[in-house]
Structure formats: C-alpha cells, structure tokens
Amino acid sequence: MFNLILFGPPGSGKGTQSEKLTSKYNLKHLSTGDLLRNEIQSQTALGNEAKKLMDKGHLVPDEVVTGMISSALDSNQKCNGFLFDGFPRTSAQAEALDRLLDLKKAPIAILLALEVSEEELVRRLFKRGETSGRSDDNNDTVIRERIIEYHRKTSPVAEHYQRKGKVVMVKGEGSVDEIFSALCKEIDSRINEKHD
Ligand code: ADP
C-alpha cells in the first residue's frame, strides 16, 4: 500500500491534482471536503451541522471527519493505497490517521505540500466561486477565514509529518501539467522504496 497526503491551503490545487494522481497511481481518493459536501447534498443530520460551519469558513469537528475517514478506510480494504486530500487538517486528525494506518501497517509514505502565494489563492477561490456553486467560495470574509484557519490549525500537520521526515514541498504555481510532473517525480522516487 502507498498512502500519501496532498497538503496545502484552500485553493492550492489539491482537488485538481488529486484527480490526476489517483488515476495515474490507481489510488483511492479520499477528500473530506467532498465527503462532507455529499452529506450536505443528501441533507443528513451530519451534513446540516457541517454546512453551518463550512459556510463560516470554520473547520468541522475532528471526530466527525475522522469517523468518515475511518469508515472509508474500512470500505476500501483492497485498494493500492489512499490519497488524502483536505485531511488531516489538525494535529488531532493527523494523530488519529496515524493510528488508523498503523492498524493497516501502511503508514503515510509522503506528504506533498503545494506552495501557493496568498494573493493567488484568493484569486483562484473567487474564480472557482463563479462556477462551482460552492457557497464558501464566493465571499471574501469566508475565504479569508478559511486561510486563517489553515495557518492556525492546519499548518501544524506539516510539522507533525516533518518530524517523521515525510514532507516534500512542491511549487503549486505554474501550469496544471507542470505541477503534476513535479508531484509525480517525488512520488516515483519514493514509491519503489515504500510500495510492497
Ligand atoms: P478547500 O481546500 O478549498 O478549503 P475542502 O473541500 O477541502 O476545500 O473543504 C471545504 C470545507 O470543508 C472546509 O473549509 C471545512 O469547513 C470543511 N472540511 C473539509 N475537510 C475537513 C477536515 N479534515 N476537518 C475539518 N473540516 C474540514
């Protein structure tokens, strides 16, 4: 199993690159943002509660997202590996993920961190808001709040994996294909040593 985290602030291109990476390496894409939006769409109790927080740019409680990831891991026992997108987003989530993957004897092989300037992030999120229909993408205050949450709660996740020597920074500005090649280069150099 080869498990990787695609990391970076909102608007850094995780969703776009995840699609390409999961198809190239035949990994299961687990995006907590997508899982939560599915819950909202189905109007579940979890979805209704999550929407209130997401619309303010705040994070959903750790237990909620960790529970969703735990079930997704259970229902995909036979895949080649997982690509985590938008998760873990707090230190507590990172610790919970490590515990779940320890049980599978398949720890995180690499955390790829997309680096994008704040100015570019805000520009991309607004642009996405014009077409995505996502209510958290078309309001300046909500966009800024998500970036603040990222700096406050999510950046420690990179430090957590840095201590394990798993972090690789990749420039997240340039064409989609250029960024994709840079990510693949890093994965290729690790997949052979870690994949079994
Ligand atoms: P983006 O990367 O553009 O912020 P996501 O789709 O990853 O988009 O997340 C959208 C929103 O869903 C977040 O702002 C947050 O409210 C919620 N969310 C997604 N993943 C998590 C998570 N792991 N922990 C807490 N909240 C989350």
Side-chain angles (χ1 to χ4, degrees):
M1 254 200 167
F2 186 83
N3 293 323
L4 78 95
I5 297 172
L6 192 56
F7 189 79
S12 55
K14 300 186 297 289
T16 308
Q17 296 296 336
S18 291
E19 297 293 333
K20 294 173 72 75
L21 291 170
T22 46
S23 118
K24 173 163 175 162
Y25 295 100
N26 196 17
L27 301 171
K28 173 75 187 165
H29 182 197
L30 291 183
S31 154
T32 40
D34 287 350
L35 293 170
L36 289 165
R37 282 184 289 276
N38 290 342
E39 297 283 335
I40 294 176
Q41 192 103 45
S42 317
Q43 300 193 341
T44 62
L46 188 160
N48 295 338
E49 284 307 306
K51 185 173 185 339
K52 293 183 203 157
L53 293 162
M54 290 164 76
D55 281 349
K56 289 196 206 124
H58 294 160
L59 295 183
V60 171
D62 290 335
E63 316 77 72
V64 173
V65 282
T66 304
M68 291 192 319
I69 289 289
S70 173
S71 344
L73 294 181
D74 284 346
S75 43
N76 290 283
Q77 302 271 8
K78 291 213 174 76
C79 70
N80 268 345
F82 295 96
L83 184 159
F84 298 95
D85 160 10
F87 178 91
R89 240 178 170 99
T90 63
S91 301
Q93 291 178 23
E95 281 159 21
L97 178 63
D98 289 351
R99 278 194 299 273
L100 291 168
L101 294 180
D102 273 351
L103 296 174
K104 294 185 169 292
K105 305 218 180 330
I108 291 297
I110 187 171
L111 179 152
L112 290 163
L114 290 169
E115 289 185 295
V116 178
S117 71
E118 186 151 333
E119 208 184 304
E120 172 71 6
L121 293 177
V122 175
R123 201 182 62 75
R124 288 187 191 174
L125 290 169
F126 257 116
K127 188 150 184 286
R128 184 167 80 185
E130 290 167 9
T131 51
S132 69
R134 275 179 57 169
S135 48
D136 56 349
D137 277 346
N138 52 24
N139 176 306
D140 187 57
T141 317
V142 175
I143 289 177
R144 299 272 172 201
E145 187 59 29
R146 282 156 63 201
I147 296 175
I148 292 170
E149 285 277 82
Y150 173 79
H151 289 301
R152 195 179 338 165
K153 298 182 180 158
T154 306
S155 44
V157 171
E159 289 151 30
H160 173 98
Y161 289 102
Q162 188 81 59
R163 288 193 286 276
K164 298 173 187 269
K166 303 290 181 193
V167 174
V168 177
M169 311 288 248
V170 172
K171 193 162 149 256
E173 294 186 46
S175 73
V176 168
D177 286 340
E178 278 163 2
I179 301 164
F180 180 60
S181 308
L183 293 169
C184 291
K185 199 170 137 236
E186 297 300 340
I187 295 174
D188 291 342
S189 72
R190 297 243 178 165
I191 206 158
N192 296 325
E193 66 187 64
K194 294 284 174 194
H195 197 61
D196 48 38

PDB file of all heavy atoms in Angstrom, residues 8-11 14 31-34 36-37 50 53-55 57-62 65 85-90 93 125 128 134 136-137 146, ligand 1:
ATOM      1  N   GLY A   8      -1.973  21.463   1.480  1.00  0.00           N
ATOM      2  CA  GLY A   8      -1.835  22.841   1.006  1.00  0.00           C
ATOM      3  C   GLY A   8      -3.058  23.628   1.382  1.00  0.00           C
ATOM      4  O   GLY A   8      -4.096  23.056   1.723  1.00  0.00           O
ATOM      5  N   PRO A   9      -2.953  24.953   1.331  1.00  0.00           N
ATOM      6  CA  PRO A   9      -4.090  25.796   1.713  1.00  0.00           C
ATOM      7  C   PRO A   9      -5.267  25.663   0.756  1.00  0.00           C
ATOM      8  O   PRO A   9      -5.119  25.108  -0.344  1.00  0.00           O
ATOM      9  CB  PRO A   9      -3.489  27.216   1.656  1.00  0.00           C
ATOM     10  CG  PRO A   9      -2.272  27.109   0.830  1.00  0.00           C
ATOM     11  CD  PRO A   9      -1.767  25.713   0.938  1.00  0.00           C
ATOM     12  N   PRO A  10      -6.447  26.176   1.154  1.00  0.00           N
ATOM     13  CA  PRO A  10      -7.597  26.156   0.261  1.00  0.00           C
ATOM     14  C   PRO A  10      -7.217  26.859  -1.041  1.00  0.00           C
ATOM     15  O   PRO A  10      -6.595  27.918  -1.005  1.00  0.00           O
ATOM     16  CB  PRO A  10      -8.662  26.986   0.992  1.00  0.00           C
ATOM     17  CG  PRO A  10      -8.206  27.133   2.389  1.00  0.00           C
ATOM     18  CD  PRO A  10      -6.743  26.859   2.437  1.00  0.00           C
ATOM     19  N   GLY A  11      -7.554  26.255  -2.155  1.00  0.00           N
ATOM     20  CA  GLY A  11      -7.262  26.883  -3.448  1.00  0.00           C
ATOM     21  C   GLY A  11      -5.885  26.551  -3.983  1.00  0.00           C
ATOM     22  O   GLY A  11      -5.477  27.047  -5.026  1.00  0.00           O
ATOM     23  N   LYS A  14      -5.337  21.122  -4.731  1.00  0.00           N
ATOM     24  CA  LYS A  14      -5.340  19.727  -4.254  1.00  0.00           C
ATOM     25  C   LYS A  14      -6.353  18.875  -5.025  1.00  0.00           C
ATOM     26  O   LYS A  14      -6.050  17.755  -5.401  1.00  0.00           O
ATOM     27  CB  LYS A  14      -5.646  19.656  -2.749  1.00  0.00           C
ATOM     28  CG  LYS A  14      -4.655  20.399  -1.868  1.00  0.00           C
ATOM     29  CD  LYS A  14      -4.924  20.172  -0.390  1.00  0.00           C
ATOM     30  CE  LYS A  14      -6.265  20.686   0.082  1.00  0.00           C
ATOM     31  NZ  LYS A  14      -6.384  22.154   0.134  1.00  0.00           N
ATOM     32  N   SER A  31     -11.348  12.701  -0.090  1.00  0.00           N
ATOM     33  CA  SER A  31     -11.411  14.137   0.181  1.00  0.00           C
ATOM     34  C   SER A  31     -12.495  14.374   1.224  1.00  0.00           C
ATOM     35  O   SER A  31     -13.676  14.093   0.967  1.00  0.00           O
ATOM     36  CB  SER A  31     -11.748  14.881  -1.111  1.00  0.00           C
ATOM     37  OG  SER A  31     -12.393  16.110  -0.826  1.00  0.00           O
ATOM     38  N   THR A  32     -12.104  14.878   2.385  1.00  0.00           N
ATOM     39  CA  THR A  32     -13.125  15.110   3.422  1.00  0.00           C
ATOM     40  C   THR A  32     -14.092  16.217   2.976  1.00  0.00           C
ATOM     41  O   THR A  32     -15.268  16.175   3.308  1.00  0.00           O
ATOM     42  CB  THR A  32     -12.496  15.444   4.788  1.00  0.00           C
ATOM     43  OG1 THR A  32     -11.375  16.295   4.591  1.00  0.00           O
ATOM     44  CG2 THR A  32     -12.081  14.204   5.522  1.00  0.00           C
ATOM     45  N   GLY A  33     -13.576  17.194   2.190  1.00  0.00           N
ATOM     46  CA  GLY A  33     -14.466  18.238   1.660  1.00  0.00           C
ATOM     47  C   GLY A  33     -15.560  17.612   0.802  1.00  0.00           C
ATOM     48  O   GLY A  33     -16.744  17.916   0.951  1.00  0.00           O
ATOM     49  N   ASP A  34     -15.168  16.687  -0.097  1.00  0.00           N
ATOM     50  CA  ASP A  34     -16.163  16.021  -0.962  1.00  0.00           C
ATOM     51  C   ASP A  34     -17.118  15.161  -0.127  1.00  0.00           C
ATOM     52  O   ASP A  34     -18.327  15.152  -0.375  1.00  0.00           O
ATOM     53  CB  ASP A  34     -15.474  15.113  -1.995  1.00  0.00           C
ATOM     54  CG  ASP A  34     -14.775  15.911  -3.090  1.00  0.00           C
ATOM     55  OD1 ASP A  34     -14.970  17.136  -3.158  1.00  0.00           O
ATOM     56  OD2 ASP A  34     -14.007  15.296  -3.862  1.00  0.00           O
ATOM     57  N   LEU A  36     -17.993  15.609   2.917  1.00  0.00           N
ATOM     58  CA  LEU A  36     -18.921  16.496   3.633  1.00  0.00           C
ATOM     59  C   LEU A  36     -19.965  17.083   2.684  1.00  0.00           C
ATOM     60  O   LEU A  36     -21.153  17.165   3.022  1.00  0.00           O
ATOM     61  CB  LEU A  36     -18.147  17.624   4.331  1.00  0.00           C
ATOM     62  CG  LEU A  36     -17.316  17.194   5.542  1.00  0.00           C
ATOM     63  CD1 LEU A  36     -16.317  18.282   5.940  1.00  0.00           C
ATOM     64  CD2 LEU A  36     -18.223  16.862   6.731  1.00  0.00           C
ATOM     65  N   ARG A  37     -19.524  17.476   1.484  1.00  0.00           N
ATOM     66  CA  ARG A  37     -20.499  18.021   0.520  1.00  0.00           C
ATOM     67  C   ARG A  37     -21.528  16.969   0.103  1.00  0.00           C
ATOM     68  O   ARG A  37     -22.691  17.289  -0.134  1.00  0.00           O
ATOM     69  CB  ARG A  37     -19.788  18.641  -0.689  1.00  0.00           C
ATOM     70  CG  ARG A  37     -19.225  20.045  -0.371  1.00  0.00           C
ATOM     71  CD  ARG A  37     -18.597  20.718  -1.578  1.00  0.00           C
ATOM     72  NE  ARG A  37     -17.357  20.096  -1.968  1.00  0.00           N
ATOM     73  CZ  ARG A  37     -16.164  20.365  -1.432  1.00  0.00           C
ATOM     74  NH1 ARG A  37     -16.060  21.275  -0.485  1.00  0.00           N
ATOM     75  NH2 ARG A  37     -15.080  19.739  -1.825  1.00  0.00           N
ATOM     76  N   ALA A  50     -22.597  20.286   9.514  1.00  0.00           N
ATOM     77  CA  ALA A  50     -21.322  20.649   8.894  1.00  0.00           C
ATOM     78  C   ALA A  50     -21.472  21.916   8.051  1.00  0.00           C
ATOM     79  O   ALA A  50     -20.607  22.783   8.058  1.00  0.00           O
ATOM     80  CB  ALA A  50     -20.817  19.496   8.022  1.00  0.00           C
ATOM     81  N   LEU A  53     -20.929  25.267   9.729  1.00  0.00           N
ATOM     82  CA  LEU A  53     -19.522  25.602   9.997  1.00  0.00           C
ATOM     83  C   LEU A  53     -18.784  25.938   8.707  1.00  0.00           C
ATOM     84  O   LEU A  53     -18.032  26.913   8.638  1.00  0.00           O
ATOM     85  CB  LEU A  53     -18.833  24.419  10.699  1.00  0.00           C
ATOM     86  CG  LEU A  53     -19.349  24.132  12.101  1.00  0.00           C
ATOM     87  CD1 LEU A  53     -18.963  22.733  12.553  1.00  0.00           C
ATOM     88  CD2 LEU A  53     -18.808  25.175  13.081  1.00  0.00           C
ATOM     89  N   MET A  54     -19.020  25.131   7.679  1.00  0.00           N
ATOM     90  CA  MET A  54     -18.316  25.338   6.408  1.00  0.00           C
ATOM     91  C   MET A  54     -18.656  26.696   5.811  1.00  0.00           C
ATOM     92  O   MET A  54     -17.795  27.368   5.257  1.00  0.00           O
ATOM     93  CB  MET A  54     -18.654  24.204   5.429  1.00  0.00           C
ATOM     94  CG  MET A  54     -18.037  22.883   5.861  1.00  0.00           C
ATOM     95  SD  MET A  54     -18.758  21.449   5.050  1.00  0.00           S
ATOM     96  CE  MET A  54     -18.028  21.533   3.421  1.00  0.00           C
ATOM     97  N   ASP A  55     -19.911  27.118   5.959  1.00  0.00           N
ATOM     98  CA  ASP A  55     -20.314  28.414   5.404  1.00  0.00           C
ATOM     99  C   ASP A  55     -19.678  29.589   6.137  1.00  0.00           C
ATOM    100  O   ASP A  55     -19.713  30.713   5.648  1.00  0.00           O
ATOM    101  CB  ASP A  55     -21.846  28.555   5.418  1.00  0.00           C
ATOM    102  CG  ASP A  55     -22.470  27.799   4.253  1.00  0.00           C
ATOM    103  OD1 ASP A  55     -21.717  27.369   3.364  1.00  0.00           O
ATOM    104  OD2 ASP A  55     -23.708  27.632   4.241  1.00  0.00           O
ATOM    105  N   GLY A  57     -16.501  29.266   7.087  1.00  0.00           N
ATOM    106  CA  GLY A  57     -15.058  29.095   6.863  1.00  0.00           C
ATOM    107  C   GLY A  57     -14.378  28.388   8.015  1.00  0.00           C
ATOM    108  O   GLY A  57     -13.152  28.378   8.113  1.00  0.00           O
ATOM    109  N   HIS A  58     -15.174  27.796   8.912  1.00  0.00           N
ATOM    110  CA  HIS A  58     -14.595  27.096  10.066  1.00  0.00           C
ATOM    111  C   HIS A  58     -14.447  25.615   9.767  1.00  0.00           C
ATOM    112  O   HIS A  58     -15.092  25.081   8.868  1.00  0.00           O
ATOM    113  CB  HIS A  58     -15.491  27.293  11.298  1.00  0.00           C
ATOM    114  CG  HIS A  58     -15.525  28.704  11.764  1.00  0.00           C
ATOM    115  ND1 HIS A  58     -16.510  29.215  12.561  1.00  0.00           N
ATOM    116  CD2 HIS A  58     -14.686  29.734  11.509  1.00  0.00           C
ATOM    117  CE1 HIS A  58     -16.290  30.503  12.784  1.00  0.00           C
ATOM    118  NE2 HIS A  58     -15.178  30.835  12.158  1.00  0.00           N
ATOM    119  N   LEU A  59     -13.640  24.957  10.585  1.00  0.00           N
ATOM    120  CA  LEU A  59     -13.465  23.515  10.402  1.00  0.00           C
ATOM    121  C   LEU A  59     -14.596  22.760  11.079  1.00  0.00           C
ATOM    122  O   LEU A  59     -15.180  23.233  12.061  1.00  0.00           O
ATOM    123  CB  LEU A  59     -12.123  23.055  10.992  1.00  0.00           C
ATOM    124  CG  LEU A  59     -10.854  23.592  10.327  1.00  0.00           C
ATOM    125  CD1 LEU A  59      -9.618  22.969  10.984  1.00  0.00           C
ATOM    126  CD2 LEU A  59     -10.845  23.331   8.830  1.00  0.00           C
ATOM    127  N   VAL A  60     -14.868  21.581  10.555  1.00  0.00           N
ATOM    128  CA  VAL A  60     -15.849  20.662  11.132  1.00  0.00           C
ATOM    129  C   VAL A  60     -15.111  19.904  12.260  1.00  0.00           C
ATOM    130  O   VAL A  60     -13.901  19.694  12.163  1.00  0.00           O
ATOM    131  CB  VAL A  60     -16.323  19.729   9.983  1.00  0.00           C
ATOM    132  CG1 VAL A  60     -17.167  18.589  10.479  1.00  0.00           C
ATOM    133  CG2 VAL A  60     -17.067  20.544   8.928  1.00  0.00           C
ATOM    134  N   PRO A  61     -15.820  19.491  13.341  1.00  0.00           N
ATOM    135  CA  PRO A  61     -15.113  18.835  14.450  1.00  0.00           C
ATOM    136  C   PRO A  61     -14.295  17.600  14.016  1.00  0.00           C
ATOM    137  O   PRO A  61     -14.705  16.855  13.132  1.00  0.00           O
ATOM    138  CB  PRO A  61     -16.242  18.422  15.400  1.00  0.00           C
ATOM    139  CG  PRO A  61     -17.361  19.337  15.083  1.00  0.00           C
ATOM    140  CD  PRO A  61     -17.246  19.672  13.629  1.00  0.00           C
ATOM    141  N   ASP A  62     -13.168  17.426  14.701  1.00  0.00           N
ATOM    142  CA  ASP A  62     -12.255  16.327  14.378  1.00  0.00           C
ATOM    143  C   ASP A  62     -12.953  14.962  14.362  1.00  0.00           C
ATOM    144  O   ASP A  62     -12.707  14.148  13.472  1.00  0.00           O
ATOM    145  CB  ASP A  62     -11.112  16.279  15.418  1.00  0.00           C
ATOM    146  CG  ASP A  62     -10.159  17.455  15.268  1.00  0.00           C
ATOM    147  OD1 ASP A  62     -10.060  18.010  14.156  1.00  0.00           O
ATOM    148  OD2 ASP A  62      -9.510  17.813  16.272  1.00  0.00           O
ATOM    149  N   VAL A  65     -14.922  14.240  11.032  1.00  0.00           N
ATOM    150  CA  VAL A  65     -14.154  13.885   9.830  1.00  0.00           C
ATOM    151  C   VAL A  65     -13.354  12.603  10.034  1.00  0.00           C
ATOM    152  O   VAL A  65     -13.224  11.793   9.113  1.00  0.00           O
ATOM    153  CB  VAL A  65     -13.222  15.038   9.364  1.00  0.00           C
ATOM    154  CG1 VAL A  65     -13.999  16.086   8.635  1.00  0.00           C
ATOM    155  CG2 VAL A  65     -12.447  15.640  10.491  1.00  0.00           C
ATOM    156  N   ASP A  85      -6.880  14.062   0.755  1.00  0.00           N
ATOM    157  CA  ASP A  85      -6.969  15.432   0.226  1.00  0.00           C
ATOM    158  C   ASP A  85      -7.850  16.247   1.179  1.00  0.00           C
ATOM    159  O   ASP A  85      -9.013  15.916   1.382  1.00  0.00           O
ATOM    160  CB  ASP A  85      -7.566  15.312  -1.200  1.00  0.00           C
ATOM    161  CG  ASP A  85      -8.192  16.588  -1.744  1.00  0.00           C
ATOM    162  OD1 ASP A  85      -8.036  17.657  -1.146  1.00  0.00           O
ATOM    163  OD2 ASP A  85      -8.853  16.489  -2.799  1.00  0.00           O
ATOM    164  N   GLY A  86      -7.258  17.254   1.819  1.00  0.00           N
ATOM    165  CA  GLY A  86      -8.037  18.064   2.774  1.00  0.00           C
ATOM    166  C   GLY A  86      -8.138  17.394   4.134  1.00  0.00           C
ATOM    167  O   GLY A  86      -8.906  17.827   4.987  1.00  0.00           O
ATOM    168  N   PHE A  87      -7.383  16.365   4.336  1.00  0.00           N
ATOM    169  CA  PHE A  87      -7.337  15.625   5.605  1.00  0.00           C
ATOM    170  C   PHE A  87      -5.945  15.022   5.733  1.00  0.00           C
ATOM    171  O   PHE A  87      -5.442  14.505   4.735  1.00  0.00           O
ATOM    172  CB  PHE A  87      -8.389  14.506   5.600  1.00  0.00           C
ATOM    173  CG  PHE A  87      -8.386  13.668   6.860  1.00  0.00           C
ATOM    174  CD1 PHE A  87      -9.192  14.027   7.933  1.00  0.00           C
ATOM    175  CD2 PHE A  87      -7.563  12.561   6.980  1.00  0.00           C
ATOM    176  CE1 PHE A  87      -9.184  13.277   9.109  1.00  0.00           C
ATOM    177  CE2 PHE A  87      -7.556  11.808   8.163  1.00  0.00           C
ATOM    178  CZ  PHE A  87      -8.369  12.168   9.217  1.00  0.00           C
ATOM    179  N   PRO A  88      -5.317  15.011   6.872  1.00  0.00           N
ATOM    180  CA  PRO A  88      -5.720  15.643   8.132  1.00  0.00           C
ATOM    181  C   PRO A  88      -5.530  17.163   8.086  1.00  0.00           C
ATOM    182  O   PRO A  88      -4.635  17.661   7.435  1.00  0.00           O
ATOM    183  CB  PRO A  88      -4.775  15.011   9.162  1.00  0.00           C
ATOM    184  CG  PRO A  88      -3.610  14.499   8.392  1.00  0.00           C
ATOM    185  CD  PRO A  88      -4.059  14.244   7.004  1.00  0.00           C
ATOM    186  N   ARG A  89      -6.405  17.843   8.818  1.00  0.00           N
ATOM    187  CA  ARG A  89      -6.389  19.303   8.831  1.00  0.00           C
ATOM    188  C   ARG A  89      -6.093  19.872  10.219  1.00  0.00           C
ATOM    189  O   ARG A  89      -6.077  21.089  10.383  1.00  0.00           O
ATOM    190  CB  ARG A  89      -7.770  19.782   8.398  1.00  0.00           C
ATOM    191  CG  ARG A  89      -7.778  20.657   7.146  1.00  0.00           C
ATOM    192  CD  ARG A  89      -9.222  20.983   6.868  1.00  0.00           C
ATOM    193  NE  ARG A  89      -9.424  21.970   5.878  1.00  0.00           N
ATOM    194  CZ  ARG A  89      -9.740  21.710   4.602  1.00  0.00           C
ATOM    195  NH1 ARG A  89      -9.790  20.479   4.162  1.00  0.00           N
ATOM    196  NH2 ARG A  89     -10.001  22.702   3.788  1.00  0.00           N
ATOM    197  N   THR A  90      -5.899  19.011  11.196  1.00  0.00           N
ATOM    198  CA  THR A  90      -5.468  19.453  12.536  1.00  0.00           C
ATOM    199  C   THR A  90      -4.497  18.387  13.052  1.00  0.00           C
ATOM    200  O   THR A  90      -4.458  17.260  12.528  1.00  0.00           O
ATOM    201  CB  THR A  90      -6.652  19.520  13.539  1.00  0.00           C
ATOM    202  OG1 THR A  90      -7.171  18.184  13.694  1.00  0.00           O
ATOM    203  CG2 THR A  90      -7.770  20.434  13.081  1.00  0.00           C
ATOM    204  N   GLN A  93      -6.291  15.273  14.063  1.00  0.00           N
ATOM    205  CA  GLN A  93      -6.655  14.418  12.913  1.00  0.00           C
ATOM    206  C   GLN A  93      -5.432  13.638  12.422  1.00  0.00           C
ATOM    207  O   GLN A  93      -5.550  12.473  12.027  1.00  0.00           O
ATOM    208  CB  GLN A  93      -7.227  15.267  11.768  1.00  0.00           C
ATOM    209  CG  GLN A  93      -8.589  15.874  12.083  1.00  0.00           C
ATOM    210  CD  GLN A  93      -9.126  16.752  10.954  1.00  0.00           C
ATOM    211  OE1 GLN A  93      -8.743  16.614   9.794  1.00  0.00           O
ATOM    212  NE2 GLN A  93     -10.024  17.662  11.298  1.00  0.00           N
ATOM    213  N   LEU A 125      -9.788  31.103  -5.596  1.00  0.00           N
ATOM    214  CA  LEU A 125     -11.023  30.717  -4.893  1.00  0.00           C
ATOM    215  C   LEU A 125     -12.212  31.531  -5.407  1.00  0.00           C
ATOM    216  O   LEU A 125     -13.298  30.982  -5.618  1.00  0.00           O
ATOM    217  CB  LEU A 125     -10.854  30.890  -3.380  1.00  0.00           C
ATOM    218  CG  LEU A 125      -9.905  29.877  -2.735  1.00  0.00           C
ATOM    219  CD1 LEU A 125      -9.578  30.267  -1.298  1.00  0.00           C
ATOM    220  CD2 LEU A 125     -10.495  28.468  -2.769  1.00  0.00           C
ATOM    221  N   ARG A 128     -13.159  30.172  -8.767  1.00  0.00           N
ATOM    222  CA  ARG A 128     -13.882  28.907  -8.630  1.00  0.00           C
ATOM    223  C   ARG A 128     -15.321  29.175  -8.180  1.00  0.00           C
ATOM    224  O   ARG A 128     -16.251  28.510  -8.600  1.00  0.00           O
ATOM    225  CB  ARG A 128     -13.149  28.014  -7.617  1.00  0.00           C
ATOM    226  CG  ARG A 128     -13.751  26.636  -7.461  1.00  0.00           C
ATOM    227  CD  ARG A 128     -12.815  25.722  -6.709  1.00  0.00           C
ATOM    228  NE  ARG A 128     -12.884  25.938  -5.268  1.00  0.00           N
ATOM    229  CZ  ARG A 128     -12.097  25.324  -4.379  1.00  0.00           C
ATOM    230  NH1 ARG A 128     -11.173  24.476  -4.792  1.00  0.00           N
ATOM    231  NH2 ARG A 128     -12.212  25.564  -3.105  1.00  0.00           N
ATOM    232  N   ARG A 134     -20.170  26.590  -4.918  1.00  0.00           N
ATOM    233  CA  ARG A 134     -19.814  26.422  -3.503  1.00  0.00           C
ATOM    234  C   ARG A 134     -19.998  27.729  -2.762  1.00  0.00           C
ATOM    235  O   ARG A 134     -19.378  28.731  -3.102  1.00  0.00           O
ATOM    236  CB  ARG A 134     -18.357  25.948  -3.384  1.00  0.00           C
ATOM    237  CG  ARG A 134     -18.214  24.454  -3.512  1.00  0.00           C
ATOM    238  CD  ARG A 134     -16.775  24.027  -3.405  1.00  0.00           C
ATOM    239  NE  ARG A 134     -16.140  24.452  -2.153  1.00  0.00           N
ATOM    240  CZ  ARG A 134     -14.966  24.007  -1.759  1.00  0.00           C
ATOM    241  NH1 ARG A 134     -14.296  23.136  -2.501  1.00  0.00           N
ATOM    242  NH2 ARG A 134     -14.441  24.424  -0.624  1.00  0.00           N
ATOM    243  N   ASP A 136     -18.942  28.606   0.008  1.00  0.00           N
ATOM    244  CA  ASP A 136     -17.777  29.105   0.749  1.00  0.00           C
ATOM    245  C   ASP A 136     -16.732  29.746  -0.171  1.00  0.00           C
ATOM    246  O   ASP A 136     -15.709  30.206   0.282  1.00  0.00           O
ATOM    247  CB  ASP A 136     -17.134  27.992   1.603  1.00  0.00           C
ATOM    248  CG  ASP A 136     -16.717  26.762   0.804  1.00  0.00           C
ATOM    249  OD1 ASP A 136     -17.099  26.643  -0.373  1.00  0.00           O
ATOM    250  OD2 ASP A 136     -16.002  25.920   1.376  1.00  0.00           O
ATOM    251  N   ASP A 137     -16.995  29.748  -1.479  1.00  0.00           N
ATOM    252  CA  ASP A 137     -16.011  30.283  -2.421  1.00  0.00           C
ATOM    253  C   ASP A 137     -16.356  31.661  -2.966  1.00  0.00           C
ATOM    254  O   ASP A 137     -15.619  32.199  -3.772  1.00  0.00           O
ATOM    255  CB  ASP A 137     -15.856  29.335  -3.629  1.00  0.00           C
ATOM    256  CG  ASP A 137     -14.905  28.181  -3.353  1.00  0.00           C
ATOM    257  OD1 ASP A 137     -14.172  28.242  -2.350  1.00  0.00           O
ATOM    258  OD2 ASP A 137     -14.901  27.242  -4.160  1.00  0.00           O
ATOM    259  N   ARG A 146     -11.048  30.963   5.988  1.00  0.00           N
ATOM    260  CA  ARG A 146     -10.514  29.619   5.716  1.00  0.00           C
ATOM    261  C   ARG A 146      -8.986  29.651   5.687  1.00  0.00           C
ATOM    262  O   ARG A 146      -8.334  28.717   6.157  1.00  0.00           O
ATOM    263  CB  ARG A 146     -11.057  29.100   4.383  1.00  0.00           C
ATOM    264  CG  ARG A 146     -12.481  28.599   4.542  1.00  0.00           C
ATOM    265  CD  ARG A 146     -13.233  28.615   3.253  1.00  0.00           C
ATOM    266  NE  ARG A 146     -12.688  27.749   2.249  1.00  0.00           N
ATOM    267  CZ  ARG A 146     -12.929  27.902   0.930  1.00  0.00           C
ATOM    268  NH1 ARG A 146     -13.661  28.906   0.514  1.00  0.00           N
ATOM    269  NH2 ARG A 146     -12.425  27.051   0.084  1.00  0.00           N
TER     270      ARG A 146
HETATM  271  P1  ADP B   1     -10.732  23.797   0.368  1.00  0.00           P
HETATM  272  O1  ADP B   1      -9.444  23.033   0.279  1.00  0.00           O
HETATM  273  O2  ADP B   1     -10.979  24.633  -0.822  1.00  0.00           O
HETATM  274  O3  ADP B   1     -10.900  24.541   1.657  1.00  0.00           O
HETATM  275  P2  ADP B   1     -12.329  21.446   1.033  1.00  0.00           P
HETATM  276  O4  ADP B   1     -13.295  20.890   0.089  1.00  0.00           O
HETATM  277  O5  ADP B   1     -11.138  20.632   1.384  1.00  0.00           O
HETATM  278  O6  ADP B   1     -11.923  22.799   0.317  1.00  0.00           O
HETATM  279  O7  ADP B   1     -13.035  21.872   2.400  1.00  0.00           O
HETATM  280  C1  ADP B   1     -14.173  22.682   2.447  1.00  0.00           C
HETATM  281  C2  ADP B   1     -14.601  22.885   3.891  1.00  0.00           C
HETATM  282  O8  ADP B   1     -14.982  21.620   4.473  1.00  0.00           O
HETATM  283  C3  ADP B   1     -13.544  23.430   4.850  1.00  0.00           C
HETATM  284  O9  ADP B   1     -13.464  24.846   4.830  1.00  0.00           O
HETATM  285  C4  ADP B   1     -14.034  22.884   6.199  1.00  0.00           C
HETATM  286  O10 ADP B   1     -15.079  23.642   6.708  1.00  0.00           O
HETATM  287  C5  ADP B   1     -14.598  21.518   5.839  1.00  0.00           C
HETATM  288  N1  ADP B   1     -13.586  20.443   5.961  1.00  0.00           N
HETATM  289  C6  ADP B   1     -13.070  19.705   4.943  1.00  0.00           C
HETATM  290  N2  ADP B   1     -12.170  18.800   5.403  1.00  0.00           N
HETATM  291  C7  ADP B   1     -12.085  18.990   6.749  1.00  0.00           C
HETATM  292  C8  ADP B   1     -11.326  18.397   7.791  1.00  0.00           C
HETATM  293  N3  ADP B   1     -10.434  17.432   7.553  1.00  0.00           N
HETATM  294  N4  ADP B   1     -11.511  18.847   9.058  1.00  0.00           N
HETATM  295  C9  ADP B   1     -12.393  19.804   9.328  1.00  0.00           C
HETATM  296  N5  ADP B   1     -13.147  20.427   8.406  1.00  0.00           N
HETATM  297  C10 ADP B   1     -12.999  20.029   7.119  1.00  0.00           C
END
